PDB file of all heavy atoms in Angstrom:
ATOM      1  N   ASP A   1       4.576   9.207  -0.326  1.00  0.00           N
ATOM      2  CA  ASP A   1       3.252   9.488   0.300  1.00  0.00           C
ATOM      3  C   ASP A   1       2.224   8.475  -0.143  1.00  0.00           C
ATOM      4  O   ASP A   1       2.159   8.192  -1.406  1.00  0.00           O
ATOM      5  CB  ASP A   1       2.857  10.926  -0.029  1.00  0.00           C
ATOM      6  CG  ASP A   1       3.708  11.907   0.646  1.00  0.00           C
ATOM      7  OD1 ASP A   1       4.115  11.723   1.725  1.00  0.00           O
ATOM      8  OD2 ASP A   1       4.012  12.918  -0.109  1.00  0.00           O
ATOM      9  N   LEU A   2       1.404   7.989   0.721  1.00  0.00           N
ATOM     10  CA  LEU A   2       0.267   7.136   0.414  1.00  0.00           C
ATOM     11  C   LEU A   2      -1.055   7.883   0.468  1.00  0.00           C
ATOM     12  O   LEU A   2      -1.095   9.035   0.908  1.00  0.00           O
ATOM     13  CB  LEU A   2       0.179   6.014   1.454  1.00  0.00           C
ATOM     14  CG  LEU A   2       1.412   5.129   1.481  1.00  0.00           C
ATOM     15  CD1 LEU A   2       1.285   4.094   2.647  1.00  0.00           C
ATOM     16  CD2 LEU A   2       1.632   4.354   0.247  1.00  0.00           C
ATOM     17  N   PRO A   3      -2.077   7.385  -0.179  1.00  0.00           N
ATOM     18  CA  PRO A   3      -3.358   8.096  -0.131  1.00  0.00           C
ATOM     19  C   PRO A   3      -3.776   8.393   1.347  1.00  0.00           C
ATOM     20  O   PRO A   3      -3.691   7.565   2.181  1.00  0.00           O
ATOM     21  CB  PRO A   3      -4.366   7.125  -0.782  1.00  0.00           C
ATOM     22  CG  PRO A   3      -3.447   6.226  -1.657  1.00  0.00           C
ATOM     23  CD  PRO A   3      -2.166   6.156  -0.923  1.00  0.00           C
ATOM     24  N   ARG A   4      -4.260   9.622   1.471  1.00  0.00           N
ATOM     25  CA  ARG A   4      -4.727  10.072   2.835  1.00  0.00           C
ATOM     26  C   ARG A   4      -5.786   9.100   3.344  1.00  0.00           C
ATOM     27  O   ARG A   4      -6.679   8.696   2.638  1.00  0.00           O
ATOM     28  CB  ARG A   4      -5.260  11.431   2.759  1.00  0.00           C
ATOM     29  CG  ARG A   4      -5.653  12.080   4.109  1.00  0.00           C
ATOM     30  CD  ARG A   4      -6.300  13.434   3.898  1.00  0.00           C
ATOM     31  NE  ARG A   4      -5.285  14.395   3.430  1.00  0.00           N
ATOM     32  CZ  ARG A   4      -4.561  15.174   4.260  1.00  0.00           C
ATOM     33  NH1 ARG A   4      -4.739  15.128   5.571  1.00  0.00           N
ATOM     34  NH2 ARG A   4      -3.750  15.993   3.742  1.00  0.00           N
ATOM     35  N   GLY A   5      -5.600   8.703   4.573  1.00  0.00           N
ATOM     36  CA  GLY A   5      -6.636   7.822   5.216  1.00  0.00           C
ATOM     37  C   GLY A   5      -6.530   6.379   4.866  1.00  0.00           C
ATOM     38  O   GLY A   5      -7.380   5.596   5.283  1.00  0.00           O
ATOM     39  N   ILE A   6      -5.541   5.931   4.276  1.00  0.00           N
ATOM     40  CA  ILE A   6      -5.411   4.483   3.839  1.00  0.00           C
ATOM     41  C   ILE A   6      -5.344   3.549   4.999  1.00  0.00           C
ATOM     42  O   ILE A   6      -5.780   2.400   4.944  1.00  0.00           O
ATOM     43  CB  ILE A   6      -4.264   4.274   2.812  1.00  0.00           C
ATOM     44  CG1 ILE A   6      -4.301   2.768   2.323  1.00  0.00           C
ATOM     45  CG2 ILE A   6      -2.969   4.622   3.458  1.00  0.00           C
ATOM     46  CD1 ILE A   6      -3.234   2.502   1.255  1.00  0.00           C
ATOM     47  N   THR A   7      -4.783   4.010   6.163  1.00  0.00           N
ATOM     48  CA  THR A   7      -4.541   3.161   7.373  1.00  0.00           C
ATOM     49  C   THR A   7      -3.785   1.842   6.982  1.00  0.00           C
ATOM     50  O   THR A   7      -4.257   0.776   7.155  1.00  0.00           O
ATOM     51  CB  THR A   7      -5.872   2.765   8.086  1.00  0.00           C
ATOM     52  OG1 THR A   7      -6.706   1.987   7.234  1.00  0.00           O
ATOM     53  CG2 THR A   7      -6.596   4.021   8.538  1.00  0.00           C
ATOM     54  N   PRO A   8      -2.536   2.024   6.573  1.00  0.00           N
ATOM     55  CA  PRO A   8      -1.727   0.821   6.164  1.00  0.00           C
ATOM     56  C   PRO A   8      -1.096   0.136   7.351  1.00  0.00           C
ATOM     57  O   PRO A   8      -0.923   0.687   8.480  1.00  0.00           O
ATOM     58  CB  PRO A   8      -0.578   1.429   5.287  1.00  0.00           C
ATOM     59  CG  PRO A   8      -0.412   2.761   5.962  1.00  0.00           C
ATOM     60  CD  PRO A   8      -1.800   3.210   6.407  1.00  0.00           C
ATOM     61  N   GLU A   9      -0.647  -1.092   7.221  1.00  0.00           N
ATOM     62  CA  GLU A   9       0.089  -1.815   8.174  1.00  0.00           C
ATOM     63  C   GLU A   9       1.167  -2.719   7.572  1.00  0.00           C
ATOM     64  O   GLU A   9       2.315  -2.632   7.931  1.00  0.00           O
ATOM     65  CB  GLU A   9      -0.875  -2.703   9.049  1.00  0.00           C
ATOM     66  CG  GLU A   9      -0.278  -3.140  10.432  1.00  0.00           C
ATOM     67  CD  GLU A   9       0.574  -4.297  10.350  1.00  0.00           C
ATOM     68  OE1 GLU A   9       0.737  -4.923   9.323  1.00  0.00           O
ATOM     69  OE2 GLU A   9       1.173  -4.675  11.418  1.00  0.00           O
ATOM     70  N   GLY A  10       0.760  -3.476   6.513  1.00  0.00           N
ATOM     71  CA  GLY A  10       1.727  -4.366   5.926  1.00  0.00           C
ATOM     72  C   GLY A  10       2.372  -3.710   4.651  1.00  0.00           C
ATOM     73  O   GLY A  10       1.906  -2.763   4.138  1.00  0.00           O
ATOM     74  N   ILE A  11       3.544  -4.339   4.230  1.00  0.00           N
ATOM     75  CA  ILE A  11       4.116  -3.874   2.996  1.00  0.00           C
ATOM     76  C   ILE A  11       4.889  -5.090   2.438  1.00  0.00           C
ATOM     77  O   ILE A  11       5.417  -5.907   3.187  1.00  0.00           O
ATOM     78  CB  ILE A  11       5.086  -2.733   3.249  1.00  0.00           C
ATOM     79  CG1 ILE A  11       5.658  -2.245   1.871  1.00  0.00           C
ATOM     80  CG2 ILE A  11       6.206  -3.076   4.198  1.00  0.00           C
ATOM     81  CD1 ILE A  11       6.442  -0.910   1.953  1.00  0.00           C
ATOM     82  N   ALA A  12       4.867  -5.209   1.064  1.00  0.00           N
ATOM     83  CA  ALA A  12       5.578  -6.320   0.370  1.00  0.00           C
ATOM     84  C   ALA A  12       6.130  -5.716  -0.878  1.00  0.00           C
ATOM     85  O   ALA A  12       5.494  -4.817  -1.500  1.00  0.00           O
ATOM     86  CB  ALA A  12       4.683  -7.510   0.139  1.00  0.00           C
ATOM     87  N   VAL A  13       7.294  -6.216  -1.303  1.00  0.00           N
ATOM     88  CA  VAL A  13       7.838  -5.832  -2.613  1.00  0.00           C
ATOM     89  C   VAL A  13       7.523  -6.961  -3.617  1.00  0.00           C
ATOM     90  O   VAL A  13       7.633  -8.107  -3.275  1.00  0.00           O
ATOM     91  CB  VAL A  13       9.368  -5.633  -2.472  1.00  0.00           C
ATOM     92  CG1 VAL A  13       9.995  -5.522  -3.875  1.00  0.00           C
ATOM     93  CG2 VAL A  13       9.719  -4.420  -1.659  1.00  0.00           C
ATOM     94  N   GLY A  14       7.028  -6.490  -4.758  1.00  0.00           N
ATOM     95  CA  GLY A  14       6.629  -7.496  -5.760  1.00  0.00           C
ATOM     96  C   GLY A  14       7.671  -7.530  -6.881  1.00  0.00           C
ATOM     97  O   GLY A  14       8.881  -7.590  -6.654  1.00  0.00           O
ATOM     98  N   SER A  15       7.214  -7.588  -8.160  1.00  0.00           N
ATOM     99  CA  SER A  15       8.106  -7.689  -9.318  1.00  0.00           C
ATOM    100  C   SER A  15       8.734  -6.364  -9.585  1.00  0.00           C
ATOM    101  O   SER A  15       8.080  -5.279  -9.521  1.00  0.00           O
ATOM    102  CB  SER A  15       7.353  -8.152 -10.519  1.00  0.00           C
ATOM    103  OG  SER A  15       6.766  -9.428 -10.261  1.00  0.00           O
ATOM    104  N   GLY A  16      10.045  -6.359  -9.891  1.00  0.00           N
ATOM    105  CA  GLY A  16      10.722  -5.095 -10.271  1.00  0.00           C
ATOM    106  C   GLY A  16      10.675  -4.162  -9.035  1.00  0.00           C
ATOM    107  O   GLY A  16      11.046  -4.542  -7.896  1.00  0.00           O
ATOM    108  N   THR A  17      10.238  -2.880  -9.268  1.00  0.00           N
ATOM    109  CA  THR A  17      10.153  -1.918  -8.212  1.00  0.00           C
ATOM    110  C   THR A  17       8.796  -1.715  -7.704  1.00  0.00           C
ATOM    111  O   THR A  17       8.461  -0.734  -7.017  1.00  0.00           O
ATOM    112  CB  THR A  17      10.702  -0.536  -8.712  1.00  0.00           C
ATOM    113  OG1 THR A  17       9.874  -0.165  -9.915  1.00  0.00           O
ATOM    114  CG2 THR A  17      12.146  -0.619  -9.154  1.00  0.00           C
ATOM    115  N   GLU A  18       7.884  -2.721  -7.860  1.00  0.00           N
ATOM    116  CA  GLU A  18       6.505  -2.644  -7.398  1.00  0.00           C
ATOM    117  C   GLU A  18       6.502  -2.923  -5.936  1.00  0.00           C
ATOM    118  O   GLU A  18       7.226  -3.837  -5.427  1.00  0.00           O
ATOM    119  CB  GLU A  18       5.758  -3.672  -8.186  1.00  0.00           C
ATOM    120  CG  GLU A  18       4.234  -3.685  -7.829  1.00  0.00           C
ATOM    121  CD  GLU A  18       3.559  -4.773  -8.686  1.00  0.00           C
ATOM    122  OE1 GLU A  18       4.115  -5.861  -8.921  1.00  0.00           O
ATOM    123  OE2 GLU A  18       2.414  -4.493  -9.113  1.00  0.00           O
ATOM    124  N   PHE A  19       5.653  -2.219  -5.200  1.00  0.00           N
ATOM    125  CA  PHE A  19       5.393  -2.550  -3.799  1.00  0.00           C
ATOM    126  C   PHE A  19       3.888  -2.539  -3.556  1.00  0.00           C
ATOM    127  O   PHE A  19       3.060  -1.954  -4.292  1.00  0.00           O
ATOM    128  CB  PHE A  19       6.080  -1.575  -2.860  1.00  0.00           C
ATOM    129  CG  PHE A  19       5.419  -0.234  -2.689  1.00  0.00           C
ATOM    130  CD1 PHE A  19       4.451   0.009  -1.741  1.00  0.00           C
ATOM    131  CD2 PHE A  19       5.703   0.834  -3.542  1.00  0.00           C
ATOM    132  CE1 PHE A  19       3.811   1.219  -1.640  1.00  0.00           C
ATOM    133  CE2 PHE A  19       5.099   2.037  -3.344  1.00  0.00           C
ATOM    134  CZ  PHE A  19       4.121   2.260  -2.478  1.00  0.00           C
ATOM    135  N   PHE A  20       3.548  -3.209  -2.478  1.00  0.00           N
ATOM    136  CA  PHE A  20       2.069  -3.264  -2.100  1.00  0.00           C
ATOM    137  C   PHE A  20       1.962  -2.914  -0.715  1.00  0.00           C
ATOM    138  O   PHE A  20       2.806  -3.163   0.212  1.00  0.00           O
ATOM    139  CB  PHE A  20       1.598  -4.761  -2.280  1.00  0.00           C
ATOM    140  CG  PHE A  20       1.733  -5.314  -3.586  1.00  0.00           C
ATOM    141  CD1 PHE A  20       2.842  -6.093  -3.937  1.00  0.00           C
ATOM    142  CD2 PHE A  20       0.752  -5.094  -4.591  1.00  0.00           C
ATOM    143  CE1 PHE A  20       2.990  -6.601  -5.226  1.00  0.00           C
ATOM    144  CE2 PHE A  20       0.885  -5.608  -5.832  1.00  0.00           C
ATOM    145  CZ  PHE A  20       2.014  -6.355  -6.179  1.00  0.00           C
ATOM    146  N   THR A  21       0.885  -2.261  -0.295  1.00  0.00           N
ATOM    147  CA  THR A  21       0.368  -2.110   1.027  1.00  0.00           C
ATOM    148  C   THR A  21      -1.100  -2.250   1.045  1.00  0.00           C
ATOM    149  O   THR A  21      -1.728  -2.482   0.019  1.00  0.00           O
ATOM    150  CB  THR A  21       0.884  -0.808   1.623  1.00  0.00           C
ATOM    151  OG1 THR A  21       0.566  -0.736   3.097  1.00  0.00           O
ATOM    152  CG2 THR A  21       0.248   0.388   0.970  1.00  0.00           C
ATOM    153  N   GLY A  22      -1.729  -2.149   2.200  1.00  0.00           N
ATOM    154  CA  GLY A  22      -3.221  -2.329   2.223  1.00  0.00           C
ATOM    155  C   GLY A  22      -3.813  -1.574   3.372  1.00  0.00           C
ATOM    156  O   GLY A  22      -3.144  -0.931   4.175  1.00  0.00           O
ATOM    157  N   SER A  23      -5.117  -1.652   3.471  1.00  0.00           N
ATOM    158  CA  SER A  23      -5.830  -0.808   4.433  1.00  0.00           C
ATOM    159  C   SER A  23      -6.364  -1.703   5.581  1.00  0.00           C
ATOM    160  O   SER A  23      -7.048  -2.748   5.322  1.00  0.00           O
ATOM    161  CB  SER A  23      -7.031  -0.162   3.794  1.00  0.00           C
ATOM    162  OG  SER A  23      -7.816   0.477   4.764  1.00  0.00           O
ATOM    163  N   LEU A  24      -5.945  -1.389   6.790  1.00  0.00           N
ATOM    164  CA  LEU A  24      -6.555  -2.070   7.968  1.00  0.00           C
ATOM    165  C   LEU A  24      -8.054  -1.859   8.096  1.00  0.00           C
ATOM    166  O   LEU A  24      -8.717  -2.805   8.575  1.00  0.00           O
ATOM    167  CB  LEU A  24      -5.873  -1.506   9.285  1.00  0.00           C
ATOM    168  CG  LEU A  24      -4.494  -2.062   9.629  1.00  0.00           C
ATOM    169  CD1 LEU A  24      -3.966  -1.268  10.793  1.00  0.00           C
ATOM    170  CD2 LEU A  24      -4.611  -3.565   9.981  1.00  0.00           C
ATOM    171  N   SER A  25      -8.556  -0.754   7.660  1.00  0.00           N
ATOM    172  CA  SER A  25      -9.964  -0.493   7.911  1.00  0.00           C
ATOM    173  C   SER A  25     -10.862  -0.931   6.755  1.00  0.00           C
ATOM    174  O   SER A  25     -12.081  -1.156   7.016  1.00  0.00           O
ATOM    175  CB  SER A  25     -10.100   1.046   8.094  1.00  0.00           C
ATOM    176  OG  SER A  25      -9.574   1.765   7.025  1.00  0.00           O
ATOM    177  N   THR A  26     -10.370  -1.161   5.547  1.00  0.00           N
ATOM    178  CA  THR A  26     -11.208  -1.555   4.442  1.00  0.00           C
ATOM    179  C   THR A  26     -10.788  -2.850   3.804  1.00  0.00           C
ATOM    180  O   THR A  26     -11.550  -3.463   3.096  1.00  0.00           O
ATOM    181  CB  THR A  26     -11.333  -0.424   3.361  1.00  0.00           C
ATOM    182  OG1 THR A  26     -10.038  -0.339   2.635  1.00  0.00           O
ATOM    183  CG2 THR A  26     -11.666   0.908   3.960  1.00  0.00           C
ATOM    184  N   GLY A  27      -9.466  -3.201   3.930  1.00  0.00           N
ATOM    185  CA  GLY A  27      -8.958  -4.371   3.269  1.00  0.00           C
ATOM    186  C   GLY A  27      -8.444  -4.117   1.841  1.00  0.00           C
ATOM    187  O   GLY A  27      -7.912  -5.019   1.200  1.00  0.00           O
ATOM    188  N   ALA A  28      -8.641  -2.918   1.284  1.00  0.00           N
ATOM    189  CA  ALA A  28      -8.192  -2.563  -0.026  1.00  0.00           C
ATOM    190  C   ALA A  28      -6.655  -2.775  -0.123  1.00  0.00           C
ATOM    191  O   ALA A  28      -5.897  -2.473   0.783  1.00  0.00           O
ATOM    192  CB  ALA A  28      -8.624  -1.164  -0.351  1.00  0.00           C
ATOM    193  N   ILE A  29      -6.244  -3.139  -1.415  1.00  0.00           N
ATOM    194  CA  ILE A  29      -4.857  -3.380  -1.695  1.00  0.00           C
ATOM    195  C   ILE A  29      -4.392  -2.216  -2.594  1.00  0.00           C
ATOM    196  O   ILE A  29      -5.017  -1.889  -3.602  1.00  0.00           O
ATOM    197  CB  ILE A  29      -4.588  -4.697  -2.365  1.00  0.00           C
ATOM    198  CG1 ILE A  29      -5.089  -5.859  -1.446  1.00  0.00           C
ATOM    199  CG2 ILE A  29      -3.163  -4.899  -2.676  1.00  0.00           C
ATOM    200  CD1 ILE A  29      -4.372  -5.909  -0.117  1.00  0.00           C
ATOM    201  N   TYR A  30      -3.262  -1.652  -2.209  1.00  0.00           N
ATOM    202  CA  TYR A  30      -2.682  -0.505  -2.967  1.00  0.00           C
ATOM    203  C   TYR A  30      -1.355  -0.980  -3.577  1.00  0.00           C
ATOM    204  O   TYR A  30      -0.543  -1.650  -2.872  1.00  0.00           O
ATOM    205  CB  TYR A  30      -2.458   0.619  -2.042  1.00  0.00           C
ATOM    206  CG  TYR A  30      -1.860   1.897  -2.669  1.00  0.00           C
ATOM    207  CD1 TYR A  30      -2.718   2.832  -3.285  1.00  0.00           C
ATOM    208  CD2 TYR A  30      -0.484   2.149  -2.694  1.00  0.00           C
ATOM    209  CE1 TYR A  30      -2.123   3.970  -3.834  1.00  0.00           C
ATOM    210  CE2 TYR A  30       0.064   3.221  -3.210  1.00  0.00           C
ATOM    211  CZ  TYR A  30      -0.763   4.180  -3.779  1.00  0.00           C
ATOM    212  OH  TYR A  30      -0.221   5.320  -4.411  1.00  0.00           O
ATOM    213  N   SER A  31      -1.134  -0.584  -4.801  1.00  0.00           N
ATOM    214  CA  SER A  31       0.166  -0.970  -5.465  1.00  0.00           C
ATOM    215  C   SER A  31       0.909   0.299  -5.886  1.00  0.00           C
ATOM    216  O   SER A  31       0.279   1.225  -6.440  1.00  0.00           O
ATOM    217  CB  SER A  31      -0.135  -1.788  -6.748  1.00  0.00           C
ATOM    218  OG  SER A  31       1.052  -2.065  -7.451  1.00  0.00           O
ATOM    219  N   GLY A  32       2.168   0.401  -5.577  1.00  0.00           N
ATOM    220  CA  GLY A  32       2.985   1.578  -5.951  1.00  0.00           C
ATOM    221  C   GLY A  32       4.290   1.192  -6.531  1.00  0.00           C
ATOM    222  O   GLY A  32       4.622   0.010  -6.627  1.00  0.00           O
ATOM    223  N   ASP A  33       5.077   2.206  -6.933  1.00  0.00           N
ATOM    224  CA  ASP A  33       6.332   2.026  -7.535  1.00  0.00           C
ATOM    225  C   ASP A  33       7.396   2.636  -6.630  1.00  0.00           C
ATOM    226  O   ASP A  33       7.344   3.858  -6.325  1.00  0.00           O
ATOM    227  CB  ASP A  33       6.374   2.659  -8.891  1.00  0.00           C
ATOM    228  CG  ASP A  33       7.663   2.235  -9.706  1.00  0.00           C
ATOM    229  OD1 ASP A  33       8.751   2.633  -9.268  1.00  0.00           O
ATOM    230  OD2 ASP A  33       7.503   1.564 -10.729  1.00  0.00           O
TER     231      ASP A  33
END
């Protein structure tokens, strides 16, 4: 589950089990495991 209202579109896997997504509406970057 992602934060409510994040409006994501992209996803990328980083180092280890890290992943990234972001917000279409604000541009904020979110990092998760």
Side-chain angles (χ1 to χ4, degrees):
D1 292 320
L2 298 174
R4 184 183 292 268
I6 184 176
T7 62
E9 203 274 358
I11 186 170
V13 171
S15 302
T17 57
E18 183 179 39
F19 77 90
F20 303 94
T21 187
S23 173
L24 279 171
S25 55
T26 70
I29 302 300
Y30 180 87
S31 174
D33 191 297

